[in-house]
Amino acid sequence: MSDHRPLPLLGAPQTERRDAARNREALMCAAAALVAEHGAAAVTMDEVAARAGVGKGTVFRRFESREGLMGALLNQSETDWQASVISGPPPLGPGAPPLDRLRAFGRSRIEVTLQHAELIREAGRVGPRSYAAYSFTAMHVRYLLAEIGVTGDLPLLATAILAPLEVPILDQQVRIEEFPVDRVYEAWTDLVGRVVQR
Amino acid sequence: MSDHRPLPLLGAPQTERRDAARNREALMCAAAALVAEHGAAAVTMDEVAARAGVGKGTVFRRFESREGLMGALLNQSETDWQASVISGPPPLGPGAPPLDRLRAFGRSRIEVTLQHAELIREAGRVGPRSYAAYSFTAMHVRYLLAEIGVTGDLPLLATAILAPLEVPILDQQVRIEEFPVDRVYEAWTDLVGRVVQR
């Protein structure tokens, strides 16, 4: 037996686990709301605890650190976004023509990435890219390119289309160079048009 | 007077300054040679000092830390590369048709970036992109696109062409996914072909 979990007990431990799940959910919601209201940089663990109605110790027990909490918010947001690509309404989700889906993907990814940029800064994970998140987008774009009928080195063309949507690049364009998001999206759509028409 | 440097003295201090410059040069050359031989990760400050024929204290006085030395090597390499773009032989330097220069730029940038990826890791600067280095390449690619006669949002098209050449992306393709460098270059050339033909 490689699984050494104790046998499930009735009573107290189960309640504890249920309480823990409830606390986690409350903390995530409170943190997400505070981030939306004040920006990730301004959010403190004290505020998150107060908003969720739990003690500060509980926040640290759940997430270890402020960075851990920001990382958890980031993962949750990425997971939600992936779900909307896989099974949400078209054109981001299935059911629209592949080029429409690709354009919707770009628009949506730009927005999500800009929201994530701040969380990533606060989570202290500016450097390493999330390989899992990258793999998901790469596979999706590669699939759409094939559906559109694009020929060529699709894995690398997919990477090329995705590269301008990476956090440091979008963050620089929008936050430092102050390009309007619409302009960034239009330019990305133009790039996609050039890539697929051949 | 906002400049509080002491008046230049004759004799000892000047010699000291000349010695310092000579030491710095010797240390940079020694470090570059060791990096080329063993890879940046394997190079120690002791080895650099021994190779340059100076005491270990001198290395730390010049570069403060191992990270500082790696950062100095990185800056030197980037400066040398920029000089070869500005005034080196064609097709990377001036004198070749703009599309040939753009292709040579890509080939050369891929090679330089892969060399830099290791130095950047060792310099502990994986996260923030070097804005100065980025600005140089963005300006150069934008200029070449205009020379080629490409129309559109050239600053953003230049960014899109440059994005797949960023350190984390190339590093992942070549080091993690183990794509051959030639394949990466061919795919980039294909991307450029699609972008400029319209």
mmCIF file of all heavy atoms in Angstrom, chain A residues 129 131 134 150-151 153 156-157 159 163-164 168-169 172-173 177 179 183 187 190 194-195 197-198, chain B residues 129 131 134 150-151 153 156-157 159 163-164 168-169 172-173 177 183 187 190 194-195 197-198:
data_model
loop_
_atom_site.group_PDB
_atom_site.id
_atom_site.type_symbol
_atom_site.label_atom_id
_atom_site.label_comp_id
_atom_site.label_asym_id
_atom_site.label_seq_id
_atom_site.Cartn_x
_atom_site.Cartn_y
_atom_site.Cartn_z
ATOM 1 N N ARG A 129 7.948 31.498 -15.863
ATOM 2 C CA ARG A 129 6.606 31.461 -16.416
ATOM 3 C C ARG A 129 5.935 30.190 -15.917
ATOM 4 O O ARG A 129 6.580 29.189 -15.662
ATOM 5 C CB ARG A 129 6.682 31.411 -17.941
ATOM 6 C CG ARG A 129 7.507 32.535 -18.509
ATOM 7 C CD ARG A 129 8.063 32.129 -19.858
ATOM 8 N NE ARG A 129 7.000 32.104 -20.829
ATOM 9 C CZ ARG A 129 6.916 31.200 -21.795
ATOM 10 N NH1 ARG A 129 7.778 30.234 -21.873
ATOM 11 N NH2 ARG A 129 5.951 31.258 -22.673
ATOM 12 N N TYR A 131 4.562 27.037 -16.556
ATOM 13 C CA TYR A 131 4.648 26.144 -17.709
ATOM 14 C C TYR A 131 3.288 25.514 -18.020
ATOM 15 O O TYR A 131 2.930 25.336 -19.183
ATOM 16 C CB TYR A 131 5.698 25.056 -17.458
ATOM 17 C CG TYR A 131 5.993 24.265 -18.691
ATOM 18 C CD1 TYR A 131 6.615 24.866 -19.779
ATOM 19 C CD2 TYR A 131 5.628 22.926 -18.792
ATOM 20 C CE1 TYR A 131 6.870 24.158 -20.933
ATOM 21 C CE2 TYR A 131 5.877 22.209 -19.941
ATOM 22 C CZ TYR A 131 6.502 22.828 -21.007
ATOM 23 O OH TYR A 131 6.737 22.124 -22.158
ATOM 24 N N TYR A 134 1.194 28.030 -19.825
ATOM 25 C CA TYR A 134 1.705 28.182 -21.187
ATOM 26 C C TYR A 134 1.295 26.992 -22.056
ATOM 27 O O TYR A 134 0.850 27.148 -23.192
ATOM 28 C CB TYR A 134 3.227 28.326 -21.169
ATOM 29 C CG TYR A 134 3.795 28.234 -22.548
ATOM 30 C CD1 TYR A 134 3.667 29.313 -23.427
ATOM 31 C CD2 TYR A 134 4.397 27.068 -22.985
ATOM 32 C CE1 TYR A 134 4.142 29.217 -24.709
ATOM 33 C CE2 TYR A 134 4.881 26.968 -24.271
ATOM 34 C CZ TYR A 134 4.753 28.047 -25.135
ATOM 35 O OH TYR A 134 5.218 27.941 -26.415
ATOM 36 N N VAL A 150 -4.091 26.494 -41.351
ATOM 37 C CA VAL A 150 -2.737 27.046 -41.479
ATOM 38 C C VAL A 150 -1.750 25.890 -41.616
ATOM 39 O O VAL A 150 -1.852 24.886 -40.918
ATOM 40 C CB VAL A 150 -2.368 27.893 -40.236
ATOM 41 C CG1 VAL A 150 -0.928 28.381 -40.319
ATOM 42 C CG2 VAL A 150 -3.327 29.064 -40.092
ATOM 43 N N THR A 151 -0.800 26.036 -42.536
ATOM 44 C CA THR A 151 0.261 25.045 -42.650
ATOM 45 C C THR A 151 1.568 25.671 -42.180
ATOM 46 O O THR A 151 1.704 26.890 -42.153
ATOM 47 C CB THR A 151 0.423 24.555 -44.110
ATOM 48 O OG1 THR A 151 0.639 25.695 -44.929
ATOM 49 C CG2 THR A 151 -0.811 23.808 -44.570
ATOM 50 N N ASP A 153 5.120 25.183 -39.309
ATOM 51 C CA ASP A 153 5.565 24.610 -38.035
ATOM 52 C C ASP A 153 4.605 25.105 -36.948
ATOM 53 O O ASP A 153 4.888 26.067 -36.230
ATOM 54 C CB ASP A 153 7.010 25.068 -37.765
ATOM 55 C CG ASP A 153 7.653 24.290 -36.624
ATOM 56 O OD1 ASP A 153 6.906 23.773 -35.762
ATOM 57 O OD2 ASP A 153 8.889 24.202 -36.602
ATOM 58 N N LEU A 156 5.568 26.105 -33.278
ATOM 59 C CA LEU A 156 6.348 27.337 -33.155
ATOM 60 C C LEU A 156 5.552 28.556 -33.617
ATOM 61 O O LEU A 156 5.718 29.649 -33.075
ATOM 62 C CB LEU A 156 7.676 27.204 -33.898
ATOM 63 C CG LEU A 156 8.689 26.344 -33.126
ATOM 64 C CD1 LEU A 156 9.928 26.050 -33.951
ATOM 65 C CD2 LEU A 156 9.106 27.018 -31.825
ATOM 66 N N LEU A 157 4.675 28.388 -34.597
ATOM 67 C CA LEU A 157 3.798 29.504 -34.970
ATOM 68 C C LEU A 157 2.873 29.853 -33.806
ATOM 69 O O LEU A 157 2.609 31.030 -33.539
ATOM 70 C CB LEU A 157 2.974 29.162 -36.212
ATOM 71 C CG LEU A 157 3.648 29.378 -37.573
ATOM 72 C CD1 LEU A 157 2.711 28.953 -38.697
ATOM 73 C CD2 LEU A 157 4.063 30.841 -37.764
ATOM 74 N N THR A 159 3.535 29.453 -30.628
ATOM 75 C CA THR A 159 4.362 30.180 -29.656
ATOM 76 C C THR A 159 4.563 31.628 -30.087
ATOM 77 O O THR A 159 4.513 32.544 -29.258
ATOM 78 C CB THR A 159 5.740 29.510 -29.500
ATOM 79 O OG1 THR A 159 5.531 28.147 -29.123
ATOM 80 C CG2 THR A 159 6.571 30.195 -28.441
ATOM 81 N N ALA A 163 3.529 34.742 -27.878
ATOM 82 C CA ALA A 163 4.624 35.471 -27.227
ATOM 83 C C ALA A 163 4.267 36.921 -26.885
ATOM 84 O O ALA A 163 4.567 37.390 -25.789
ATOM 85 C CB ALA A 163 5.889 35.394 -28.077
ATOM 86 N N PRO A 164 3.593 37.660 -27.805
ATOM 87 C CA PRO A 164 3.277 39.059 -27.447
ATOM 88 C C PRO A 164 2.230 39.175 -26.349
ATOM 89 O O PRO A 164 1.983 40.265 -25.856
ATOM 90 C CB PRO A 164 2.729 39.653 -28.759
ATOM 91 C CG PRO A 164 3.028 38.676 -29.833
ATOM 92 C CD PRO A 164 3.198 37.338 -29.192
ATOM 93 N N PRO A 168 5.276 39.950 -19.193
ATOM 94 C CA PRO A 168 6.200 41.115 -19.187
ATOM 95 C C PRO A 168 6.003 42.024 -20.392
ATOM 96 O O PRO A 168 6.177 43.239 -20.292
ATOM 97 C CB PRO A 168 7.596 40.483 -19.207
ATOM 98 C CG PRO A 168 7.420 39.015 -19.313
ATOM 99 C CD PRO A 168 5.974 38.666 -19.243
ATOM 100 N N ILE A 169 5.610 41.439 -21.530
ATOM 101 C CA ILE A 169 5.451 42.245 -22.742
ATOM 102 C C ILE A 169 4.186 43.100 -22.660
ATOM 103 O O ILE A 169 4.226 44.315 -22.861
ATOM 104 C CB ILE A 169 5.451 41.335 -23.991
ATOM 105 C CG1 ILE A 169 6.834 40.685 -24.123
ATOM 106 C CG2 ILE A 169 5.083 42.126 -25.243
ATOM 107 C CD1 ILE A 169 6.951 39.661 -25.214
ATOM 108 N N GLN A 172 4.522 45.787 -20.047
ATOM 109 C CA GLN A 172 5.348 46.913 -20.485
ATOM 110 C C GLN A 172 4.571 47.824 -21.435
ATOM 111 O O GLN A 172 4.597 49.046 -21.308
ATOM 112 C CB GLN A 172 6.603 46.404 -21.176
ATOM 113 C CG GLN A 172 7.469 47.532 -21.704
ATOM 114 C CD GLN A 172 8.766 46.996 -22.264
ATOM 115 O OE1 GLN A 172 9.561 46.409 -21.545
ATOM 116 N NE2 GLN A 172 8.958 47.162 -23.551
ATOM 117 N N GLN A 173 3.851 47.201 -22.388
ATOM 118 C CA GLN A 173 3.127 48.000 -23.373
ATOM 119 C C GLN A 173 2.039 48.848 -22.727
ATOM 120 O O GLN A 173 1.866 50.008 -23.064
ATOM 121 C CB GLN A 173 2.508 47.081 -24.434
ATOM 122 C CG GLN A 173 3.558 46.475 -25.358
ATOM 123 C CD GLN A 173 2.965 45.483 -26.320
ATOM 124 O OE1 GLN A 173 1.898 44.932 -26.092
ATOM 125 N NE2 GLN A 173 3.671 45.238 -27.413
ATOM 126 N N GLU A 177 4.542 51.816 -21.352
ATOM 127 C CA GLU A 177 4.425 52.644 -22.556
ATOM 128 C C GLU A 177 3.026 53.245 -22.706
ATOM 129 O O GLU A 177 2.803 54.089 -23.571
ATOM 130 C CB GLU A 177 4.813 51.819 -23.788
ATOM 131 C CG GLU A 177 6.247 51.300 -23.699
ATOM 132 C CD GLU A 177 6.704 50.553 -24.958
ATOM 133 O OE1 GLU A 177 6.053 50.663 -25.995
ATOM 134 O OE2 GLU A 177 7.725 49.850 -24.865
ATOM 135 N N PHE A 179 0.185 52.171 -23.915
ATOM 136 C CA PHE A 179 -0.628 51.925 -25.112
ATOM 137 C C PHE A 179 -2.026 51.523 -24.654
ATOM 138 O O PHE A 179 -2.169 50.735 -23.719
ATOM 139 C CB PHE A 179 -0.051 50.762 -25.936
ATOM 140 C CG PHE A 179 1.254 51.069 -26.619
ATOM 141 C CD1 PHE A 179 1.988 50.042 -27.219
ATOM 142 C CD2 PHE A 179 1.758 52.364 -26.694
ATOM 143 C CE1 PHE A 179 3.188 50.310 -27.857
ATOM 144 C CE2 PHE A 179 2.958 52.630 -27.328
ATOM 145 C CZ PHE A 179 3.681 51.597 -27.917
ATOM 146 N N ARG A 183 -5.611 49.148 -28.746
ATOM 147 C CA ARG A 183 -4.563 49.194 -29.765
ATOM 148 C C ARG A 183 -3.732 47.905 -29.745
ATOM 149 O O ARG A 183 -3.400 47.352 -30.790
ATOM 150 C CB ARG A 183 -3.654 50.401 -29.506
ATOM 151 C CG ARG A 183 -2.519 50.480 -30.513
ATOM 152 C CD ARG A 183 -1.638 51.691 -30.297
ATOM 153 N NE ARG A 183 -0.413 51.565 -31.071
ATOM 154 C CZ ARG A 183 0.638 52.361 -30.939
ATOM 155 N NH1 ARG A 183 0.613 53.364 -30.079
ATOM 156 N NH2 ARG A 183 1.713 52.159 -31.669
ATOM 157 N N ALA A 187 -3.493 45.279 -32.872
ATOM 158 C CA ALA A 187 -2.207 44.879 -33.448
ATOM 159 C C ALA A 187 -2.045 43.360 -33.392
ATOM 160 O O ALA A 187 -1.516 42.745 -34.328
ATOM 161 C CB ALA A 187 -1.063 45.566 -32.692
ATOM 162 N N ASP A 190 -4.135 41.892 -36.113
ATOM 163 C CA ASP A 190 -3.434 42.102 -37.387
ATOM 164 C C ASP A 190 -2.340 41.041 -37.561
ATOM 165 O O ASP A 190 -2.207 40.440 -38.633
ATOM 166 C CB ASP A 190 -2.838 43.522 -37.398
ATOM 167 C CG ASP A 190 -2.010 43.789 -38.642
ATOM 168 O OD1 ASP A 190 -2.380 43.292 -39.730
ATOM 169 O OD2 ASP A 190 -0.987 44.484 -38.528
ATOM 170 N N ARG A 194 -2.036 38.172 -40.510
ATOM 171 C CA ARG A 194 -0.854 37.951 -41.361
ATOM 172 C C ARG A 194 -0.382 36.499 -41.258
ATOM 173 O O ARG A 194 0.018 35.897 -42.255
ATOM 174 C CB ARG A 194 0.277 38.891 -40.941
ATOM 175 C CG ARG A 194 -0.017 40.361 -41.257
ATOM 176 C CD ARG A 194 1.049 41.294 -40.678
ATOM 177 N NE ARG A 194 0.581 42.669 -40.642
ATOM 178 C CZ ARG A 194 1.072 43.656 -41.401
ATOM 179 N NH1 ARG A 194 2.060 43.421 -42.231
ATOM 180 N NH2 ARG A 194 0.587 44.872 -41.316
ATOM 181 N N VAL A 195 -0.421 35.948 -40.069
ATOM 182 C CA VAL A 195 0.085 34.578 -39.874
ATOM 183 C C VAL A 195 -0.819 33.552 -40.555
ATOM 184 O O VAL A 195 -0.329 32.613 -41.179
ATOM 185 C CB VAL A 195 0.234 34.252 -38.367
ATOM 186 C CG1 VAL A 195 0.427 32.759 -38.141
ATOM 187 C CG2 VAL A 195 1.403 35.032 -37.779
ATOM 188 N N GLN A 197 -3.057 33.964 -43.095
ATOM 189 C CA GLN A 197 -3.343 34.103 -44.532
ATOM 190 C C GLN A 197 -2.199 33.671 -45.408
ATOM 191 O O GLN A 197 -1.650 34.481 -46.156
ATOM 192 C CB GLN A 197 -3.703 35.550 -44.849
ATOM 193 C CG GLN A 197 -5.178 35.837 -44.575
ATOM 194 C CD GLN A 197 -5.519 37.261 -44.897
ATOM 195 O OE1 GLN A 197 -4.756 37.929 -45.588
ATOM 196 N NE2 GLN A 197 -6.653 37.728 -44.420
ATOM 197 N N ARG A 198 -1.840 32.395 -45.318
ATOM 198 C CA ARG A 198 -0.803 31.899 -46.238
ATOM 199 C C ARG A 198 -0.653 30.404 -46.056
ATOM 200 O O ARG A 198 -0.734 29.920 -44.942
ATOM 201 C CB ARG A 198 0.514 32.605 -45.935
ATOM 202 C CG ARG A 198 1.682 32.018 -46.695
ATOM 203 C CD ARG A 198 2.864 32.927 -46.572
ATOM 204 N NE ARG A 198 4.047 32.142 -46.211
ATOM 205 C CZ ARG A 198 5.285 32.614 -46.252
ATOM 206 N NH1 ARG A 198 5.524 33.830 -46.629
ATOM 207 N NH2 ARG A 198 6.292 31.853 -45.911
ATOM 208 N N ARG B 129 12.925 42.395 -17.511
ATOM 209 C CA ARG B 129 13.625 42.434 -18.783
ATOM 210 C C ARG B 129 14.480 43.693 -18.803
ATOM 211 O O ARG B 129 14.155 44.686 -18.187
ATOM 212 C CB ARG B 129 12.623 42.507 -19.925
ATOM 213 C CG ARG B 129 11.590 41.429 -19.861
ATOM 214 C CD ARG B 129 10.341 41.873 -20.561
ATOM 215 N NE ARG B 129 10.528 41.928 -21.985
ATOM 216 C CZ ARG B 129 10.024 42.847 -22.777
ATOM 217 N NH1 ARG B 129 9.319 43.817 -22.262
ATOM 218 N NH2 ARG B 129 10.211 42.805 -24.059
ATOM 219 N N TYR B 131 15.210 46.839 -20.117
ATOM 220 C CA TYR B 131 14.436 47.739 -20.966
ATOM 221 C C TYR B 131 15.314 48.373 -22.045
ATOM 222 O O TYR B 131 14.883 48.561 -23.183
ATOM 223 C CB TYR B 131 13.766 48.820 -20.113
ATOM 224 C CG TYR B 131 12.779 49.626 -20.891
ATOM 225 C CD1 TYR B 131 11.601 49.034 -21.352
ATOM 226 C CD2 TYR B 131 13.020 50.960 -21.199
ATOM 227 C CE1 TYR B 131 10.689 49.757 -22.095
ATOM 228 C CE2 TYR B 131 12.099 51.695 -21.939
ATOM 229 C CZ TYR B 131 10.941 51.087 -22.381
ATOM 230 O OH TYR B 131 10.049 51.809 -23.117
ATOM 231 N N TYR B 134 15.852 45.876 -24.775
ATOM 232 C CA TYR B 134 14.615 45.732 -25.526
ATOM 233 C C TYR B 134 14.406 46.930 -26.466
ATOM 234 O O TYR B 134 14.063 46.776 -27.630
ATOM 235 C CB TYR B 134 13.424 45.580 -24.586
ATOM 236 C CG TYR B 134 12.125 45.689 -25.321
ATOM 237 C CD1 TYR B 134 11.666 44.627 -26.098
ATOM 238 C CD2 TYR B 134 11.394 46.873 -25.304
ATOM 239 C CE1 TYR B 134 10.503 44.740 -26.823
ATOM 240 C CE2 TYR B 134 10.221 46.991 -26.016
ATOM 241 C CZ TYR B 134 9.777 45.919 -26.771
ATOM 242 O OH TYR B 134 8.635 46.037 -27.495
ATOM 243 N N VAL B 150 6.761 47.643 -44.974
ATOM 244 C CA VAL B 150 5.617 47.088 -44.242
ATOM 245 C C VAL B 150 4.753 48.237 -43.732
ATOM 246 O O VAL B 150 5.285 49.236 -43.240
ATOM 247 C CB VAL B 150 6.100 46.231 -43.047
ATOM 248 C CG1 VAL B 150 4.908 45.731 -42.228
ATOM 249 C CG2 VAL B 150 6.943 45.059 -43.535
ATOM 250 N N THR B 151 3.443 48.107 -43.879
ATOM 251 C CA THR B 151 2.540 49.103 -43.309
ATOM 252 C C THR B 151 1.802 48.465 -42.138
ATOM 253 O O THR B 151 1.718 47.247 -42.037
ATOM 254 C CB THR B 151 1.519 49.604 -44.340
ATOM 255 O OG1 THR B 151 0.826 48.477 -44.875
ATOM 256 C CG2 THR B 151 2.197 50.359 -45.461
ATOM 257 N N ASP B 153 0.778 48.916 -37.679
ATOM 258 C CA ASP B 153 1.219 49.470 -36.400
ATOM 259 C C ASP B 153 2.637 48.958 -36.138
ATOM 260 O O ASP B 153 2.861 47.997 -35.410
ATOM 261 C CB ASP B 153 0.246 49.010 -35.305
ATOM 262 C CG ASP B 153 0.440 49.788 -33.996
ATOM 263 O OD1 ASP B 153 1.552 50.306 -33.770
ATOM 264 O OD2 ASP B 153 -0.530 49.855 -33.218
ATOM 265 N N LEU B 156 4.134 47.938 -32.671
ATOM 266 C CA LEU B 156 3.590 46.700 -32.108
ATOM 267 C C LEU B 156 3.931 45.487 -32.971
ATOM 268 O O LEU B 156 4.128 44.388 -32.450
ATOM 269 C CB LEU B 156 2.082 46.842 -31.878
ATOM 270 C CG LEU B 156 1.759 47.690 -30.646
ATOM 271 C CD1 LEU B 156 0.271 47.987 -30.542
ATOM 272 C CD2 LEU B 156 2.218 46.991 -29.369
ATOM 273 N N LEU B 157 4.032 45.671 -34.284
ATOM 274 C CA LEU B 157 4.485 44.556 -35.125
ATOM 275 C C LEU B 157 5.931 44.197 -34.784
ATOM 276 O O LEU B 157 6.305 43.022 -34.754
ATOM 277 C CB LEU B 157 4.371 44.915 -36.616
ATOM 278 C CG LEU B 157 2.997 44.721 -37.253
ATOM 279 C CD1 LEU B 157 3.038 45.165 -38.720
ATOM 280 C CD2 LEU B 157 2.534 43.259 -37.171
ATOM 281 N N THR B 159 7.358 44.566 -31.862
ATOM 282 C CA THR B 159 7.299 43.822 -30.599
ATOM 283 C C THR B 159 6.881 42.373 -30.825
ATOM 284 O O THR B 159 7.418 41.455 -30.207
ATOM 285 C CB THR B 159 6.306 44.488 -29.623
ATOM 286 O OG1 THR B 159 6.699 45.845 -29.428
ATOM 287 C CG2 THR B 159 6.301 43.779 -28.282
ATOM 288 N N ALA B 163 9.031 39.260 -29.737
ATOM 289 C CA ALA B 163 8.574 38.517 -28.558
ATOM 290 C C ALA B 163 9.056 37.063 -28.532
ATOM 291 O O ALA B 163 9.488 36.584 -27.479
ATOM 292 C CB ALA B 163 7.047 38.594 -28.446
ATOM 293 N N PRO B 164 9.017 36.342 -29.672
ATOM 294 C CA PRO B 164 9.479 34.941 -29.592
ATOM 295 C C PRO B 164 10.988 34.816 -29.376
ATOM 296 O O PRO B 164 11.479 33.725 -29.147
ATOM 297 C CB PRO B 164 9.102 34.351 -30.965
ATOM 298 C CG PRO B 164 8.217 35.342 -31.615
ATOM 299 C CD PRO B 164 8.490 36.674 -31.007
ATOM 300 N N PRO B 168 12.962 33.944 -21.866
ATOM 301 C CA PRO B 168 12.244 32.782 -21.318
ATOM 302 C C PRO B 168 11.656 31.884 -22.388
ATOM 303 O O PRO B 168 11.572 30.674 -22.203
ATOM 304 C CB PRO B 168 11.127 33.409 -20.465
ATOM 305 C CG PRO B 168 11.211 34.873 -20.652
ATOM 306 C CD PRO B 168 12.392 35.222 -21.463
ATOM 307 N N ILE B 169 11.273 32.489 -23.528
ATOM 308 C CA ILE B 169 10.652 31.693 -24.586
ATOM 309 C C ILE B 169 11.700 30.847 -25.308
ATOM 310 O O ILE B 169 11.551 29.632 -25.464
ATOM 311 C CB ILE B 169 9.886 32.624 -25.553
ATOM 312 C CG1 ILE B 169 8.728 33.272 -24.793
ATOM 313 C CG2 ILE B 169 9.397 31.854 -26.767
ATOM 314 C CD1 ILE B 169 7.968 34.305 -25.566
ATOM 315 N N GLN B 172 13.037 28.131 -23.056
ATOM 316 C CA GLN B 172 12.126 27.000 -22.908
ATOM 317 C C GLN B 172 12.144 26.105 -24.150
ATOM 318 O O GLN B 172 12.197 24.882 -24.041
ATOM 319 C CB GLN B 172 10.707 27.514 -22.668
ATOM 320 C CG GLN B 172 9.696 26.382 -22.554
ATOM 321 C CD GLN B 172 8.328 26.917 -22.200
ATOM 322 O OE1 GLN B 172 8.136 27.506 -21.147
ATOM 323 N NE2 GLN B 172 7.379 26.732 -23.082
ATOM 324 N N GLN B 173 12.124 26.738 -25.328
ATOM 325 C CA GLN B 173 12.085 25.951 -26.555
ATOM 326 C C GLN B 173 13.338 25.108 -26.731
ATOM 327 O O GLN B 173 13.277 23.945 -27.108
ATOM 328 C CB GLN B 173 11.919 26.878 -27.767
ATOM 329 C CG GLN B 173 10.522 27.491 -27.840
ATOM 330 C CD GLN B 173 10.388 28.502 -28.951
ATOM 331 O OE1 GLN B 173 11.375 29.049 -29.413
ATOM 332 N NE2 GLN B 173 9.168 28.744 -29.370
ATOM 333 N N GLU B 177 12.210 22.099 -24.135
ATOM 334 C CA GLU B 177 11.557 21.284 -25.161
ATOM 335 C C GLU B 177 12.567 20.691 -26.143
ATOM 336 O O GLU B 177 12.221 19.855 -26.968
ATOM 337 C CB GLU B 177 10.496 22.121 -25.892
ATOM 338 C CG GLU B 177 9.419 22.639 -24.927
ATOM 339 C CD GLU B 177 8.273 23.382 -25.631
ATOM 340 O OE1 GLU B 177 8.142 23.268 -26.863
ATOM 341 O OE2 GLU B 177 7.522 24.086 -24.931
ATOM 342 N N ARG B 183 15.646 24.893 -36.172
ATOM 343 C CA ARG B 183 14.188 24.852 -36.334
ATOM 344 C C ARG B 183 13.564 26.138 -35.799
ATOM 345 O O ARG B 183 12.652 26.702 -36.416
ATOM 346 C CB ARG B 183 13.623 23.638 -35.594
ATOM 347 C CG ARG B 183 12.117 23.569 -35.696
ATOM 348 C CD ARG B 183 11.546 22.341 -35.022
ATOM 349 N NE ARG B 183 10.105 22.489 -34.843
ATOM 350 C CZ ARG B 183 9.353 21.698 -34.100
ATOM 351 N NH1 ARG B 183 9.909 20.678 -33.451
ATOM 352 N NH2 ARG B 183 8.065 21.901 -33.992
ATOM 353 N N ALA B 187 11.459 28.786 -38.100
ATOM 354 C CA ALA B 187 10.096 29.183 -37.753
ATOM 355 C C ALA B 187 10.006 30.700 -37.599
ATOM 356 O O ALA B 187 9.013 31.316 -38.011
ATOM 357 C CB ALA B 187 9.649 28.492 -36.461
ATOM 358 N N ASP B 190 9.985 32.196 -41.012
ATOM 359 C CA ASP B 190 8.653 31.995 -41.592
ATOM 360 C C ASP B 190 7.685 33.056 -41.045
ATOM 361 O O ASP B 190 6.923 33.669 -41.803
ATOM 362 C CB ASP B 190 8.170 30.577 -41.258
ATOM 363 C CG ASP B 190 6.745 30.329 -41.728
ATOM 364 O OD1 ASP B 190 6.380 30.835 -42.805
ATOM 365 O OD2 ASP B 190 5.994 29.647 -41.007
ATOM 366 N N ARG B 194 5.642 35.958 -43.146
ATOM 367 C CA ARG B 194 4.192 36.189 -43.102
ATOM 368 C C ARG B 194 3.872 37.636 -42.713
ATOM 369 O O ARG B 194 2.953 38.242 -43.252
ATOM 370 C CB ARG B 194 3.543 35.233 -42.083
ATOM 371 C CG ARG B 194 3.582 33.764 -42.519
ATOM 372 C CD ARG B 194 3.084 32.837 -41.417
ATOM 373 N NE ARG B 194 3.456 31.460 -41.676
ATOM 374 C CZ ARG B 194 2.584 30.476 -41.985
ATOM 375 N NH1 ARG B 194 1.307 30.727 -42.052
ATOM 376 N NH2 ARG B 194 3.017 29.251 -42.217
ATOM 377 N N VAL B 195 4.638 38.171 -41.789
ATOM 378 C CA VAL B 195 4.367 39.536 -41.317
ATOM 379 C C VAL B 195 4.667 40.573 -42.407
ATOM 380 O O VAL B 195 3.897 41.506 -42.600
ATOM 381 C CB VAL B 195 5.172 39.848 -40.032
ATOM 382 C CG1 VAL B 195 5.150 41.349 -39.723
ATOM 383 C CG2 VAL B 195 4.598 39.059 -38.857
ATOM 384 N N GLN B 197 4.849 40.226 -45.781
ATOM 385 C CA GLN B 197 4.178 40.108 -47.082
ATOM 386 C C GLN B 197 2.736 40.552 -47.054
ATOM 387 O O GLN B 197 1.845 39.738 -47.306
ATOM 388 C CB GLN B 197 4.257 38.659 -47.578
ATOM 389 C CG GLN B 197 5.574 38.368 -48.276
ATOM 390 C CD GLN B 197 5.634 36.952 -48.729
ATOM 391 O OE1 GLN B 197 4.617 36.270 -48.797
ATOM 392 N NE2 GLN B 197 6.831 36.480 -49.062
ATOM 393 N N ARG B 198 2.526 41.797 -46.776
ATOM 394 C CA ARG B 198 1.164 42.318 -46.852
ATOM 395 C C ARG B 198 1.185 43.808 -46.579
ATOM 396 O O ARG B 198 1.897 44.274 -45.734
ATOM 397 C CB ARG B 198 0.283 41.592 -45.817
ATOM 398 C CG ARG B 198 -1.079 42.221 -45.691
ATOM 399 C CD ARG B 198 -1.977 41.315 -44.908
ATOM 400 N NE ARG B 198 -2.673 42.074 -43.867
ATOM 401 C CZ ARG B 198 -3.679 41.603 -43.144
ATOM 402 N NH1 ARG B 198 -4.093 40.372 -43.309
ATOM 403 N NH2 ARG B 198 -4.274 42.329 -42.233
#
